[in-house]
Amino acid sequence: MLRLGVNIDHVATVRNARGSAYPDPVRAAKLAEEAGADGITAHLREDRRHIADADIDALMEALSVPLNFEMAATEEMQAIALRHKPHAVCIVPEKREERTTEGGLEVAREENKLAHFIAPLRDAGCRVSIFIAADKPQIEAANRIGAQVIELHTGAYCDYHYEGRFAERDAELARLTEMATFADSLGLEVHAGHGLTYETVQPIAALPEVMELNIGHFLIGESIFRGLAPAMEEMRRLMDDARA
Ligand code: PXP
């Protein structure tokens, strides 16, 4: 079955906009768990713009479903991950000035460094995922460094859709399709995420190699109108319909 990982970062974005104690991302995570999330994703950014260290402590304490800890490849984040030993870590590129994770990780260029970086995480029992664009050399490099999972970056595909650039969207979807098959043929588990919405999720959910989608910003926004559980239920229905 295709798993849905719910990213609760942007509950913390709303909280931090006022420097208040609410809304609590851990409460959202528990609600998502009750509504059938297969996992919770949280990105502890270097600048702590949304999720805070205390949120990670509380999530590790509170969750019954796996936590997917998104992190940059820095010593600070590695130490935090090794302290908590979450079920999964997803290594993402991070730039201070970006609004969100803009591109995939440059694995091919930093192969040695990343291989050394992920080894202790794997040894600690974390399932290591690498967030990359649908690009063959990056997938081959992710495989060589010993990642168990790749998460394909669906941001460009979603952006093209909303910009009405449908030829480019379809070309990107074709790349994602081909690279999901390629990664699977190497023995990598394939995940996908970033920017997915009700309008864009189905062609990605239909890819048979994709085992997990990680979705956050849209779901948290949609939950203003529907509530988090109904927003998730509609996403789940679309994912299952696409798969069927
Ligand atoms: N997957 C990864 C690796 C991400 O970095 C993000 C954004 O934090 C997501 C999935 C979720 O993206 P969105 O919030 O746009 O749904």
Side-chain angles (χ1 to χ4, degrees), residues 173-213:
L173 181 59
R175 269 191 292 279
L176 288 161
T177 304
E178 192 189 341
M179 288 305 116
T181 306
F182 176 65
D184 180 68
S185 77
L186 296 180
L188 290 160
E189 182 171 317
V190 182
H191 299 178
H194 209 283
L196 292 170
T197 67
Y198 295 155
E199 278 186 36
T200 52
V201 74
Q202 289 201 303
I204 303 296
L207 302 179
E209 298 87 359
V210 173
M211 303 298 290
E212 179 175 310
L213 299 181

mmCIF file of all heavy atoms in Angstrom, residues 173-213:
data_model
loop_
_atom_site.group_PDB
_atom_site.id
_atom_site.type_symbol
_atom_site.label_atom_id
_atom_site.label_comp_id
_atom_site.label_asym_id
_atom_site.label_seq_id
_atom_site.Cartn_x
_atom_site.Cartn_y
_atom_site.Cartn_z
ATOM 1 N N LEU A 173 7.005 14.949 -15.312
ATOM 2 C CA LEU A 173 6.321 13.718 -14.865
ATOM 3 C C LEU A 173 6.924 12.489 -15.548
ATOM 4 O O LEU A 173 7.102 11.441 -14.912
ATOM 5 C CB LEU A 173 4.817 13.823 -15.150
ATOM 6 C CG LEU A 173 3.978 12.622 -14.707
ATOM 7 C CD1 LEU A 173 4.103 12.366 -13.197
ATOM 8 C CD2 LEU A 173 2.510 12.840 -15.092
ATOM 9 N N ALA A 174 7.267 12.637 -16.819
ATOM 10 C CA ALA A 174 7.894 11.516 -17.539
ATOM 11 C C ALA A 174 9.251 11.175 -16.910
ATOM 12 O O ALA A 174 9.602 9.999 -16.759
ATOM 13 C CB ALA A 174 8.058 11.864 -19.020
ATOM 14 N N ARG A 175 10.004 12.228 -16.515
ATOM 15 C CA ARG A 175 11.300 11.986 -15.849
ATOM 16 C C ARG A 175 11.083 11.275 -14.511
ATOM 17 O O ARG A 175 11.788 10.327 -14.173
ATOM 18 C CB ARG A 175 12.027 13.321 -15.598
ATOM 19 C CG ARG A 175 12.953 13.744 -16.716
ATOM 20 C CD ARG A 175 13.837 14.911 -16.303
ATOM 21 N NE ARG A 175 13.093 16.143 -16.097
ATOM 22 C CZ ARG A 175 12.704 16.970 -17.068
ATOM 23 N NH1 ARG A 175 12.995 16.703 -18.320
ATOM 24 N NH2 ARG A 175 12.036 18.067 -16.794
ATOM 25 N N LEU A 176 10.107 11.753 -13.738
ATOM 26 C CA LEU A 176 9.823 11.135 -12.435
ATOM 27 C C LEU A 176 9.430 9.668 -12.619
ATOM 28 O O LEU A 176 9.874 8.790 -11.863
ATOM 29 C CB LEU A 176 8.695 11.903 -11.720
ATOM 30 C CG LEU A 176 9.092 13.293 -11.189
ATOM 31 C CD1 LEU A 176 7.848 14.152 -10.925
ATOM 32 C CD2 LEU A 176 9.920 13.172 -9.909
ATOM 33 N N THR A 177 8.632 9.413 -13.644
ATOM 34 C CA THR A 177 8.168 8.043 -13.922
ATOM 35 C C THR A 177 9.352 7.136 -14.250
ATOM 36 O O THR A 177 9.504 6.043 -13.693
ATOM 37 C CB THR A 177 7.173 8.079 -15.105
ATOM 38 O OG1 THR A 177 6.116 8.982 -14.782
ATOM 39 C CG2 THR A 177 6.606 6.703 -15.412
ATOM 40 N N GLU A 178 10.193 7.628 -15.170
ATOM 41 C CA GLU A 178 11.337 6.832 -15.600
ATOM 42 C C GLU A 178 12.317 6.602 -14.447
ATOM 43 O O GLU A 178 12.837 5.496 -14.253
ATOM 44 C CB GLU A 178 12.033 7.559 -16.761
ATOM 45 C CG GLU A 178 13.053 6.718 -17.471
ATOM 46 C CD GLU A 178 13.872 7.536 -18.473
ATOM 47 O OE1 GLU A 178 13.430 8.640 -18.875
ATOM 48 O OE2 GLU A 178 14.965 7.069 -18.831
ATOM 49 N N MET A 179 12.550 7.647 -13.662
ATOM 50 C CA MET A 179 13.545 7.538 -12.594
ATOM 51 C C MET A 179 13.025 6.730 -11.400
ATOM 52 O O MET A 179 13.812 6.107 -10.690
ATOM 53 C CB MET A 179 14.002 8.938 -12.157
ATOM 54 C CG MET A 179 14.885 9.606 -13.200
ATOM 55 S SD MET A 179 16.338 8.579 -13.642
ATOM 56 C CE MET A 179 16.041 8.242 -15.343
ATOM 57 N N ALA A 180 11.718 6.699 -11.205
ATOM 58 C CA ALA A 180 11.161 5.825 -10.158
ATOM 59 C C ALA A 180 11.442 4.368 -10.529
ATOM 60 O O ALA A 180 11.857 3.562 -9.689
ATOM 61 C CB ALA A 180 9.667 6.070 -10.001
ATOM 62 N N THR A 181 11.252 4.050 -11.799
ATOM 63 C CA THR A 181 11.518 2.683 -12.270
ATOM 64 C C THR A 181 13.009 2.361 -12.158
ATOM 65 O O THR A 181 13.390 1.275 -11.712
ATOM 66 C CB THR A 181 11.057 2.536 -13.736
ATOM 67 O OG1 THR A 181 9.695 2.947 -13.810
ATOM 68 C CG2 THR A 181 11.184 1.112 -14.229
ATOM 69 N N PHE A 182 13.833 3.330 -12.548
ATOM 70 C CA PHE A 182 15.285 3.107 -12.500
ATOM 71 C C PHE A 182 15.760 2.875 -11.059
ATOM 72 O O PHE A 182 16.501 1.928 -10.780
ATOM 73 C CB PHE A 182 16.018 4.298 -13.133
ATOM 74 C CG PHE A 182 17.505 4.187 -13.029
ATOM 75 C CD1 PHE A 182 18.185 3.178 -13.697
ATOM 76 C CD2 PHE A 182 18.228 5.067 -12.240
ATOM 77 C CE1 PHE A 182 19.564 3.045 -13.589
ATOM 78 C CE2 PHE A 182 19.608 4.951 -12.124
ATOM 79 C CZ PHE A 182 20.280 3.934 -12.796
ATOM 80 N N ALA A 183 15.307 3.731 -10.148
ATOM 81 C CA ALA A 183 15.736 3.601 -8.740
ATOM 82 C C ALA A 183 15.283 2.258 -8.173
ATOM 83 O O ALA A 183 16.044 1.580 -7.477
ATOM 84 C CB ALA A 183 15.173 4.755 -7.914
ATOM 85 N N ASP A 184 14.080 1.879 -8.488
ATOM 86 C CA ASP A 184 13.544 0.600 -8.012
ATOM 87 C C ASP A 184 14.391 -0.564 -8.548
ATOM 88 O O ASP A 184 14.668 -1.528 -7.829
ATOM 89 C CB ASP A 184 12.087 0.482 -8.476
ATOM 90 C CG ASP A 184 11.440 -0.804 -8.030
ATOM 91 O OD1 ASP A 184 11.232 -0.964 -6.819
ATOM 92 O OD2 ASP A 184 11.159 -1.667 -8.895
ATOM 93 N N SER A 185 14.844 -0.438 -9.799
ATOM 94 C CA SER A 185 15.637 -1.521 -10.397
ATOM 95 C C SER A 185 16.997 -1.665 -9.696
ATOM 96 O O SER A 185 17.616 -2.719 -9.744
ATOM 97 C CB SER A 185 15.840 -1.279 -11.900
ATOM 98 O OG SER A 185 16.831 -0.284 -12.105
ATOM 99 N N LEU A 186 17.459 -0.588 -9.027
ATOM 100 C CA LEU A 186 18.721 -0.667 -8.276
ATOM 101 C C LEU A 186 18.491 -1.230 -6.871
ATOM 102 O O LEU A 186 19.433 -1.415 -6.109
ATOM 103 C CB LEU A 186 19.356 0.725 -8.151
ATOM 104 C CG LEU A 186 19.797 1.427 -9.435
ATOM 105 C CD1 LEU A 186 20.391 2.794 -9.114
ATOM 106 C CD2 LEU A 186 20.821 0.583 -10.196
ATOM 107 N N GLY A 187 17.231 -1.418 -6.507
ATOM 108 C CA GLY A 187 16.927 -1.924 -5.166
ATOM 109 C C GLY A 187 16.653 -0.826 -4.158
ATOM 110 O O GLY A 187 16.570 -1.088 -2.956
ATOM 111 N N LEU A 188 16.551 0.416 -4.625
ATOM 112 C CA LEU A 188 16.231 1.531 -3.717
ATOM 113 C C LEU A 188 14.721 1.592 -3.496
ATOM 114 O O LEU A 188 13.950 1.363 -4.438
ATOM 115 C CB LEU A 188 16.708 2.855 -4.328
ATOM 116 C CG LEU A 188 18.220 3.046 -4.391
ATOM 117 C CD1 LEU A 188 18.577 4.116 -5.426
ATOM 118 C CD2 LEU A 188 18.756 3.443 -3.013
ATOM 119 N N GLU A 189 14.306 1.914 -2.270
ATOM 120 C CA GLU A 189 12.875 2.183 -2.039
ATOM 121 C C GLU A 189 12.600 3.618 -2.501
ATOM 122 O O GLU A 189 13.395 4.520 -2.240
ATOM 123 C CB GLU A 189 12.547 2.009 -0.549
ATOM 124 C CG GLU A 189 11.078 2.211 -0.244
ATOM 125 C CD GLU A 189 10.694 1.827 1.184
ATOM 126 O OE1 GLU A 189 11.156 0.769 1.675
ATOM 127 O OE2 GLU A 189 9.932 2.595 1.795
ATOM 128 N N VAL A 190 11.486 3.793 -3.188
ATOM 129 C CA VAL A 190 11.211 5.101 -3.794
ATOM 130 C C VAL A 190 10.076 5.812 -3.052
ATOM 131 O O VAL A 190 8.990 5.254 -2.883
ATOM 132 C CB VAL A 190 10.842 4.958 -5.292
ATOM 133 C CG1 VAL A 190 10.603 6.335 -5.920
ATOM 134 C CG2 VAL A 190 11.931 4.208 -6.052
ATOM 135 N N HIS A 191 10.352 7.033 -2.613
ATOM 136 C CA HIS A 191 9.340 7.922 -2.033
ATOM 137 C C HIS A 191 9.251 9.159 -2.926
ATOM 138 O O HIS A 191 10.093 9.358 -3.808
ATOM 139 C CB HIS A 191 9.725 8.353 -0.615
ATOM 140 C CG HIS A 191 9.860 7.218 0.351
ATOM 141 N ND1 HIS A 191 10.239 7.392 1.646
ATOM 142 C CD2 HIS A 191 9.657 5.877 0.205
ATOM 143 C CE1 HIS A 191 10.257 6.215 2.273
ATOM 144 N NE2 HIS A 191 9.928 5.283 1.408
ATOM 145 N N ALA A 192 8.234 9.982 -2.684
ATOM 146 C CA ALA A 192 8.116 11.226 -3.447
ATOM 147 C C ALA A 192 7.446 12.279 -2.582
ATOM 148 O O ALA A 192 6.679 11.955 -1.671
ATOM 149 C CB ALA A 192 7.313 10.984 -4.733
ATOM 150 N N GLY A 193 7.733 13.521 -2.882
ATOM 151 C CA GLY A 193 7.082 14.591 -2.140
ATOM 152 C C GLY A 193 7.597 15.954 -2.508
ATOM 153 O O GLY A 193 8.612 16.098 -3.184
ATOM 154 N N HIS A 194 6.898 16.925 -2.053
ATOM 155 C CA HIS A 194 7.110 18.368 -2.143
ATOM 156 C C HIS A 194 6.080 19.010 -3.065
ATOM 157 O O HIS A 194 6.021 18.691 -4.252
ATOM 158 C CB HIS A 194 8.518 18.774 -2.605
ATOM 159 C CG HIS A 194 8.907 20.112 -2.037
ATOM 160 N ND1 HIS A 194 8.420 21.287 -2.547
ATOM 161 C CD2 HIS A 194 9.676 20.462 -0.971
ATOM 162 C CE1 HIS A 194 8.887 22.293 -1.831
ATOM 163 N NE2 HIS A 194 9.646 21.819 -0.859
ATOM 164 N N GLY A 195 5.263 19.865 -2.479
ATOM 165 C CA GLY A 195 4.317 20.660 -3.245
ATOM 166 C C GLY A 195 3.072 19.916 -3.690
ATOM 167 O O GLY A 195 2.247 20.474 -4.417
ATOM 168 N N LEU A 196 2.889 18.669 -3.262
ATOM 169 C CA LEU A 196 1.746 17.885 -3.762
ATOM 170 C C LEU A 196 0.418 18.393 -3.199
ATOM 171 O O LEU A 196 0.339 18.801 -2.034
ATOM 172 C CB LEU A 196 1.923 16.398 -3.427
ATOM 173 C CG LEU A 196 3.067 15.707 -4.172
ATOM 174 C CD1 LEU A 196 3.320 14.308 -3.609
ATOM 175 C CD2 LEU A 196 2.782 15.634 -5.676
ATOM 176 N N THR A 197 -0.605 18.385 -4.045
ATOM 177 C CA THR A 197 -1.943 18.873 -3.717
ATOM 178 C C THR A 197 -2.969 17.880 -4.258
ATOM 179 O O THR A 197 -2.611 16.914 -4.946
ATOM 180 C CB THR A 197 -2.196 20.236 -4.394
ATOM 181 O OG1 THR A 197 -2.251 20.013 -5.819
ATOM 182 C CG2 THR A 197 -1.107 21.260 -4.097
ATOM 183 N N TYR A 198 -4.245 18.158 -4.009
ATOM 184 C CA TYR A 198 -5.288 17.307 -4.588
ATOM 185 C C TYR A 198 -5.175 17.272 -6.114
ATOM 186 O O TYR A 198 -5.461 16.254 -6.738
ATOM 187 C CB TYR A 198 -6.687 17.815 -4.208
ATOM 188 C CG TYR A 198 -7.027 17.745 -2.732
ATOM 189 C CD1 TYR A 198 -7.984 18.603 -2.189
ATOM 190 C CD2 TYR A 198 -6.421 16.821 -1.888
ATOM 191 C CE1 TYR A 198 -8.325 18.541 -0.846
ATOM 192 C CE2 TYR A 198 -6.753 16.759 -0.537
ATOM 193 C CZ TYR A 198 -7.708 17.626 -0.021
ATOM 194 O OH TYR A 198 -8.039 17.568 1.305
ATOM 195 N N GLU A 199 -4.782 18.394 -6.720
ATOM 196 C CA GLU A 199 -4.722 18.454 -8.198
ATOM 197 C C GLU A 199 -3.529 17.702 -8.771
ATOM 198 O O GLU A 199 -3.575 17.275 -9.915
ATOM 199 C CB GLU A 199 -4.617 19.914 -8.666
ATOM 200 C CG GLU A 199 -5.935 20.632 -8.734
ATOM 201 C CD GLU A 199 -5.780 22.024 -9.337
ATOM 202 O OE1 GLU A 199 -4.957 22.220 -10.266
ATOM 203 O OE2 GLU A 199 -6.483 22.924 -8.855
ATOM 204 N N THR A 200 -2.458 17.598 -7.982
ATOM 205 C CA THR A 200 -1.218 17.056 -8.566
ATOM 206 C C THR A 200 -0.860 15.658 -8.060
ATOM 207 O O THR A 200 0.049 15.016 -8.599
ATOM 208 C CB THR A 200 -0.028 17.994 -8.275
ATOM 209 O OG1 THR A 200 0.006 18.261 -6.865
ATOM 210 C CG2 THR A 200 -0.159 19.300 -9.043
ATOM 211 N N VAL A 201 -1.550 15.196 -7.024
ATOM 212 C CA VAL A 201 -1.073 13.967 -6.362
ATOM 213 C C VAL A 201 -1.268 12.707 -7.196
ATOM 214 O O VAL A 201 -0.462 11.775 -7.126
ATOM 215 C CB VAL A 201 -1.747 13.807 -4.970
ATOM 216 C CG1 VAL A 201 -3.211 13.378 -5.080
ATOM 217 C CG2 VAL A 201 -0.969 12.824 -4.112
ATOM 218 N N GLN A 202 -2.324 12.652 -8.022
ATOM 219 C CA GLN A 202 -2.683 11.345 -8.580
ATOM 220 C C GLN A 202 -1.667 10.747 -9.555
ATOM 221 O O GLN A 202 -1.367 9.552 -9.449
ATOM 222 C CB GLN A 202 -4.082 11.413 -9.175
ATOM 223 C CG GLN A 202 -5.119 11.518 -8.035
ATOM 224 C CD GLN A 202 -6.496 11.096 -8.445
ATOM 225 O OE1 GLN A 202 -7.045 11.641 -9.395
ATOM 226 N NE2 GLN A 202 -7.065 10.132 -7.739
ATOM 227 N N PRO A 203 -1.122 11.530 -10.485
ATOM 228 C CA PRO A 203 -0.123 10.912 -11.378
ATOM 229 C C PRO A 203 1.104 10.381 -10.622
ATOM 230 O O PRO A 203 1.722 9.404 -11.046
ATOM 231 C CB PRO A 203 0.268 12.054 -12.321
ATOM 232 C CG PRO A 203 -0.917 12.969 -12.299
ATOM 233 C CD PRO A 203 -1.431 12.913 -10.889
ATOM 234 N N ILE A 204 1.428 11.012 -9.492
ATOM 235 C CA ILE A 204 2.570 10.537 -8.694
ATOM 236 C C ILE A 204 2.158 9.294 -7.905
ATOM 237 O O ILE A 204 2.891 8.300 -7.846
ATOM 238 C CB ILE A 204 3.067 11.655 -7.731
ATOM 239 C CG1 ILE A 204 3.435 12.928 -8.526
ATOM 240 C CG2 ILE A 204 4.240 11.172 -6.885
ATOM 241 C CD1 ILE A 204 4.578 12.775 -9.492
ATOM 242 N N ALA A 205 0.955 9.337 -7.326
ATOM 243 C CA ALA A 205 0.467 8.182 -6.548
ATOM 244 C C ALA A 205 0.306 6.953 -7.440
ATOM 245 O O ALA A 205 0.376 5.819 -6.961
ATOM 246 C CB ALA A 205 -0.859 8.527 -5.875
ATOM 247 N N ALA A 206 0.087 7.176 -8.724
ATOM 248 C CA ALA A 206 -0.128 6.054 -9.647
ATOM 249 C C ALA A 206 1.178 5.332 -10.004
ATOM 250 O O ALA A 206 1.127 4.234 -10.559
ATOM 251 C CB ALA A 206 -0.795 6.561 -10.927
ATOM 252 N N LEU A 207 2.328 5.932 -9.697
ATOM 253 C CA LEU A 207 3.601 5.277 -10.065
ATOM 254 C C LEU A 207 3.788 4.048 -9.174
ATOM 255 O O LEU A 207 3.886 4.180 -7.948
ATOM 256 C CB LEU A 207 4.777 6.246 -9.900
ATOM 257 C CG LEU A 207 4.689 7.555 -10.707
ATOM 258 C CD1 LEU A 207 5.901 8.436 -10.428
ATOM 259 C CD2 LEU A 207 4.557 7.273 -12.201
ATOM 260 N N PRO A 208 3.840 2.863 -9.760
ATOM 261 C CA PRO A 208 3.795 1.650 -8.934
ATOM 262 C C PRO A 208 4.993 1.482 -8.007
ATOM 263 O O PRO A 208 4.895 0.825 -6.976
ATOM 264 C CB PRO A 208 3.743 0.512 -9.970
ATOM 265 C CG PRO A 208 4.208 1.101 -11.247
ATOM 266 C CD PRO A 208 3.907 2.564 -11.199
ATOM 267 N N GLU A 209 6.138 2.103 -8.346
ATOM 268 C CA GLU A 209 7.330 1.922 -7.502
ATOM 269 C C GLU A 209 7.299 2.816 -6.272
ATOM 270 O O GLU A 209 8.073 2.612 -5.341
ATOM 271 C CB GLU A 209 8.613 2.243 -8.287
ATOM 272 C CG GLU A 209 8.867 1.345 -9.477
ATOM 273 C CD GLU A 209 8.187 1.852 -10.740
ATOM 274 O OE1 GLU A 209 7.490 2.901 -10.682
ATOM 275 O OE2 GLU A 209 8.330 1.192 -11.791
ATOM 276 N N VAL A 210 6.457 3.836 -6.297
ATOM 277 C CA VAL A 210 6.458 4.795 -5.182
ATOM 278 C C VAL A 210 5.751 4.177 -3.973
ATOM 279 O O VAL A 210 4.609 3.747 -4.069
ATOM 280 C CB VAL A 210 5.802 6.133 -5.603
ATOM 281 C CG1 VAL A 210 5.653 7.068 -4.411
ATOM 282 C CG2 VAL A 210 6.621 6.802 -6.692
ATOM 283 N N MET A 211 6.459 4.129 -2.855
ATOM 284 C CA MET A 211 5.930 3.468 -1.652
ATOM 285 C C MET A 211 5.387 4.464 -0.635
ATOM 286 O O MET A 211 4.633 4.092 0.259
ATOM 287 C CB MET A 211 7.055 2.670 -0.959
ATOM 288 C CG MET A 211 7.724 1.626 -1.829
ATOM 289 S SD MET A 211 6.572 0.369 -2.349
ATOM 290 C CE MET A 211 6.285 -0.456 -0.801
ATOM 291 N N GLU A 212 5.832 5.719 -0.744
ATOM 292 C CA GLU A 212 5.441 6.687 0.296
ATOM 293 C C GLU A 212 5.413 8.082 -0.298
ATOM 294 O O GLU A 212 6.293 8.441 -1.086
ATOM 295 C CB GLU A 212 6.466 6.620 1.439
ATOM 296 C CG GLU A 212 6.212 7.589 2.579
ATOM 297 C CD GLU A 212 7.202 7.383 3.736
ATOM 298 O OE1 GLU A 212 7.377 6.231 4.198
ATOM 299 O OE2 GLU A 212 7.817 8.375 4.149
ATOM 300 N N LEU A 213 4.385 8.852 0.062
ATOM 301 C CA LEU A 213 4.332 10.270 -0.278
ATOM 302 C C LEU A 213 4.427 11.062 1.019
ATOM 303 O O LEU A 213 3.773 10.717 2.013
ATOM 304 C CB LEU A 213 3.018 10.616 -0.994
ATOM 305 C CG LEU A 213 2.740 9.919 -2.320
ATOM 306 C CD1 LEU A 213 1.410 10.394 -2.895
ATOM 307 C CD2 LEU A 213 3.865 10.189 -3.319
#
